[in-house]
Amino acid sequence: YQRRVHGGTWKPKMIPNPKYSGVWKAKEIDNPEYVADENLGVYEGFAAVGFDLWQVKSGTIFDNIIITDSVSEAKAFYDATNGKTKDAEKKSFDKVEEDKRAKEEAERKAREEEEKKSAQEEEEDDEEEDEEEETTKKEKHDEL
């Protein structure tokens, strides 16, 4: 922790600790039952794939899942699946988003029109009230 004070560098005062024996390090303990397994994680097939994830924006779709250790096989799978559909899916998604924006814009304009209309009616009501007050004042003045 450092902080600049009056143009210089400030450091906290170090208090001596006679029991300090260096940076703490976890002890390594031998495990006599440990046996290395070269085939750990190697499976003939999978019955299921699970995802545990958190999303900020909904709408993510997972499909066409492949598990492989071959880059060429993965690229071929991509071209056969996502490569064929991604442009159409993007176009469809963009259309939905555009429709959504158009609807929101129409709602916003309708709201603004309603607010304008309401403000005009209020202004007209105020003018009528002012005229009534003027008439009432004139009548009282005439009576005097």
Side-chain angles (χ1 to χ4, degrees), residues 37-55:
D37 185 359
E38 296 296 322
N39 293 319
L40 186 65
V42 177
Y43 300 97
E44 288 296 318
F46 289 89
V49 175
F51 294 97
D52 181 16
L53 50 97
W54 176 76
Q55 295 183 1

Side-chain angles (χ1 to χ4, degrees), residues 125-138:
D125 288 347
D126 288 347
E127 287 176 5
E128 287 176 13
E129 286 175 11
D130 290 345
E131 286 175 11
E132 287 176 13
E133 284 179 23
E134 287 288 324
T135 305
T136 306
K137 283 181 184 177
K138 272 187 174 182

Side-chain angles (χ1 to χ4, degrees), residues 64 66-82:
N64 302 325
I66 182 174
I67 299 173
T68 183
D69 59 356
S70 168
V71 173
S72 60
E73 185 180 353
K75 285 182 180 178
F77 182 81
Y78 173 84
D79 292 339
T81 56
N82 191 52

Side-chain angles (χ1 to χ4, degrees), residues 4-16:
R4 295 184 64 80
V5 176
H6 303 293
T9 301
W10 177 86
K11 293 183 180 180
K13 183 178 178 183
M14 297 300 290
I15 301 170

Side-chain angles (χ1 to χ4, degrees), residues 8 17 31 40 48 74 83 98 106 115 120 142:
N17 181 357
N31 181 355
L40 186 65
E98 181 60 35
E115 288 171 0
Q120 276 182 337
D142 289 343

